[in-house]
Amino acid sequence: MTLRGRLTAAFLVVVLGPVLLGAFFVASTVTAVDRTRSTERLAVAASAVRTSVDALCQQLRAAADAVALTGDPAVVAGQLVGRGLAAAVLVSDVSGRATYVSPGAPSTPWRDCSEPVAATSGPVRALAARVDRRDAAGALLGSVAAAQLVDPAFVARLAAVSGVAVTLLDGGASAARFTHTTESREVRDGVLAAAGHSTGERVTETTKGRYVRRIGPSVGQPLPLVLSVPSTRPPGLHVTLAGVVVLAGLLAVLTAWRLARVTTRPLVELAGAVDRVAYGDLTARVPVRGRDELGRLAEAFNRMTRETGSYVAALTSSRDQLRGHLAVLGDTLASTHDLQRILRVILHSAIAATGARAGAVLLVETGGVLVAQCSEGLDGRWPASDPDGPQTLRVPVGVGVVGAVAATGEPQRGRVEPTETPTGEPRCRTYVAVPFATPGTTSTPGTSGTPPGMTSTPGTPGGTTYTLGGERPADEAGAAAAALGVLALYDRVGAAEFDDDDLVTLRTFAGHAAVAVENVRVHEEAQRLSLTDPLTGLWNYRYLRESIRREVERASRFGRMLSVLALDLDRFKDVNDTYGHAAGDTVLAEFARRVRGEIREVDLAFRQGGEEFVLLLPETDARGAAIVAERLGAAVRETPIAVEAYAGPIVVTVSVGIAVYPDHGSTGREVLEAADDALYVAKAAGRDTYRVAEVRPDVPTREIPVPAGAVSPTDGLPRAGRSVQVPREPGGHARSESAAGVPESNRSGPAHARPEPADGTADAARAGPDAARPGPGGGASSGPHPPRQSRGR
């Protein structure tokens, strides 16, 4: 909204606000007073109706008592009916059979005065009071009921007593039907509809200006009645108030438009000058039309533009002085390994040194895409179709300005015309982009300006746009880039283009960025090598100690199980002695590859030392661990390992020891030792098999009833605390109850059955919904630890 529109709106709020509030106050006050008066009238009328019905019930009860106390009920009943004290009398014996009924009595059942709610639905024909009839000794002889007709005359008497319109509902269950009413036909339907939506005895208003209240049925007043009174609010009040508001609004709009037009003219001129200055024209001036506040603002703006021009000149002269400090800045930035912090410092320093308004540092990632690692001042610089802009600046290598710089290794600077369409990069008027490569290497600029495998499209912002051609893989496209990344700056202060001096300055900062990226990568690679086994690529013993402690803590915190598998290649010393250590290294590397292919991504595989390996299987019980052990044994046994320079493949087998936290140990060390002991049991049983460790005798266990059919937990994950101990089998090993039905692998024993059916349910039993098996080469991550000495296996 423009300033003129805001001023107009403000004036309208100031003028129309009191008018609207006054109209609202008058309407609400009149409505509140009318409702209060009508509510009071209905309350008085309800009290009068209850009093009248209660008096009638007392009269009927006295008449019934008189009949009950006489020896000849028929004579007394006839006298009471004749005097008009009751319309009918009903005398019943103990069994409820009528012994006397007044002639012309209304049909039963009659509505009893003592009933709080009608026992049955239907129209109310008569109101009755019932008393017990007893003999001189107090024995119950029956009952006497005296009734009074409930007809239009009765309802009319209630309306006359209360001073309001009265409607008798049909049975009280719904307000849609009525028995008798004193309402006129014009308002009857509205009254019944309002009564149907009311709850309790709350007062509601109809659309035709009447207030309605329901009373009864209740103790002492069993009749379902609806009372209504007309509203006393003046007719046409809201229409009159609306007309006043509309008229006041029209006058206010005309006045506000005139005042806003006169007031905003100097401001429009000032806004135009501000736009020119924003685009770099520091010669823009605003005419001073008076000595008021706007005139003083125009003078201040003119003075500001003159001083800004001086400041820009001073900034240009001080830029050379800033370059002398870049060497010290580079040494400081190269001393830390926090890449994000280093790049932010470099970007901020580059922006301050060149006078840019915005910038970004982008690195080439897998797939040949430049991704901004840090940026500044890019908000609001995206195309109109995407006003919020992307969360992260991403530019394919070869596309746009920064993409071409990364692909060719040549820096670019220039100006972008407003008519040119952006290519996914921020909108700008001037730009400069410099690539940076690994220290010690040089970018090879393209001789023709178009890198291999790419096609050029003239006419895009910044000159030529480079796009990947053909079906070239993304990793090859990334490899085609001659740079690690690009340092790009946008819109220099003063609207002038970035010059060669800025290019030289930016090259210096880009060199620091390259050193920082390379240092961080070297540091990360050194850290990775310290935690991984160089031969197999698995995690080493150092990382095993850290990982088993962490996984045990996680399993204890969430009440899960953790299975530890100790693996040892059988008679591996014979392989080294027969084929040589080079062949042994090939066997170890191939075995590690097969292990990674048989486990999940969440599982961890370690080389403990020599031919000893360890697997950590989170959220896996003994049955799942047995399935993995059987699968690993088959993967090694069924496919001999081919070794170059030998005629035939080498056949090896593996023995596995299984231990489960918390059944076999309360700490990672105890569980690992239990798995190691189980491994020796497997070795003693003939090798090429697996054994489950014995449950510690000092661990209290309790038996949990298990359904006859195997039922997994709701989340599909094994829970710690399940009893997995079963009697020991011949052969010296204990099998877990959760692993019941999983055959032991022993080449000297019975032929082992594959524990994983074709539908993959064994994997699901092992690890629940997350047990997706990785493909070849996938699965466990590698890690570090020093080797442990072999124990002569």
Side-chain angles (χ1 to χ4, degrees), residues 433-454:
V434 174
F436 52 89
T438 305
T441 62
T442 58
S443 301
T444 304
T447 56
S448 62
T450 302
M454 301 183 182

Side-chain angles (χ1 to χ4, degrees), residues 12-24:
L12 292 178
V13 170
V14 172
V15 174
L16 293 182
V19 176
L20 292 175
L21 290 177
F24 177 78

Side-chain angles (χ1 to χ4, degrees), residues 279 381 414-418 427-431 491 497:
Y279 288 111
R381 291 180 174 270
R415 175 181 294 273
V416 179
E417 297 301 327
R427 291 183 300 182
C428 63
R429 287 189 172 272
T430 58
Y431 67 89
D491 289 344
E497 292 188 19

Side-chain angles (χ1 to χ4, degrees), residues 66-111:
V67 175
L69 294 175
T70 184
D72 191 356
V75 175
V76 176
Q79 294 176 355
L80 293 175
V81 173
R83 294 177 182 178
L85 298 177
V89 176
L90 171 65
V91 181
S92 305
D93 56 13
V94 177
S95 61
R97 183 175 56 85
T99 59
Y100 173 79
V101 180
S102 299
S107 59
T108 57
W110 301 336
R111 185 64 55 88

Side-chain angles (χ1 to χ4, degrees), residues 666-739:
S666 58
T667 64
R669 180 177 180 180
E670 292 177 359
V671 178
L672 186 59
E673 291 177 355
D676 203 48
D677 294 338
L679 175 60
Y680 277 96
V681 174
K683 289 282 189 179
R687 295 182 175 85
D688 191 16
T689 184
Y690 68 88
R691 290 292 184 269
V692 180
E694 295 183 5
V695 178
R696 297 176 302 169
D698 58 334
V699 176
T701 60
R702 61 186 181 91
E703 183 176 354
I704 299 178
V706 179
V711 179
S712 299
T714 55
D715 58 356
L717 301 177
R719 293 292 195 276
R722 289 186 180 272
S723 177
V724 297
Q725 178 77 6
V726 297
R728 295 171 57 88
E729 295 181 347
H733 67 280
R735 294 180 60 186
S736 67
E737 186 171 311
S738 61

Side-chain angles (χ1 to χ4, degrees), residues 504-735:
V504 174
T505 302
L506 210 58
R507 280 183 180 274
T508 304
F509 285 107
H512 291 304
V515 172
V517 171
E518 184 63 20
N519 288 347
V520 169
R521 291 182 177 179
V522 171
H523 174 73
E524 292 176 350
E525 179 65 16
Q527 189 176 25
R528 186 190 68 83
L529 292 177
S530 68
L531 299 177
T532 56
D533 176 63
L535 175 61
T536 62
L538 302 181
W539 298 109
N540 59 22
Y541 179 73
R542 181 190 305 171
Y543 195 64
L544 170 61
R545 291 183 300 178
E546 176 185 349
S547 298
I548 196 169
R549 176 189 57 79
R550 181 180 64 249
E551 294 298 332
V552 166
E553 289 177 357
R554 182 183 293 116
S556 175
R557 182 165 60 252
F558 296 104
R560 307 293 191 187
M561 286 184 173
L562 171 68
S563 291
V564 179
L565 276 64
L567 296 82
D568 187 89
L569 292 177
D570 299 326
R571 298 183 177 89
F572 184 75
K573 185 175 182 299
D574 296 340
V575 175
N576 284 334
D577 294 342
T578 304
Y579 303 98
H581 288 280
D585 291 346
T586 301
V587 171
L588 290 176
E590 176 61 18
F591 175 75
R593 187 191 66 81
R594 297 185 185 183
V595 168
R596 285 193 296 264
E598 294 295 333
I599 61 179
R600 306 168 299 178
E601 291 185 0
V602 297
D603 300 333
L604 298 175
F606 307 82
R607 185 187 180 193
Q608 188 168 277
E611 71 275 18
E612 301 175 12
F613 299 84
V614 174
L615 296 182
L616 299 184
L617 310 180
E619 299 181 344
T620 304
D621 54 10
R623 174 181 174 84
I627 293 173
V628 175
E630 182 70 16
R631 197 162 59 209
L632 288 174
V636 176
R637 179 191 324 112
E638 295 174 359
T639 306
I641 299 176
V643 179
E644 294 182 5
Y646 294 98
I650 300 176
V651 179
V652 295
T653 58
V654 63
S655 298
V656 183
I658 301 173
V660 181
Y661 172 86
D663 299 321
H664 304 125
S666 58
T667 64
R669 180 177 180 180
E670 292 177 359
V671 178
L672 186 59
E673 291 177 355
D676 203 48
D677 294 338
L679 175 60
Y680 277 96
V681 174
K683 289 282 189 179
R687 295 182 175 85
D688 191 16
T689 184
Y690 68 88
R691 290 292 184 269
V692 180
E694 295 183 5
V695 178
R696 297 176 302 169
D698 58 334
V699 176
T701 60
R702 61 186 181 91
E703 183 176 354
I704 299 178
V706 179
V711 179
S712 299
T714 55
D715 58 356
L717 301 177
R719 293 292 195 276
R722 289 186 180 272
S723 177
V724 297
Q725 178 77 6
V726 297
R728 295 171 57 88
E729 295 181 347
H733 67 280
R735 294 180 60 186

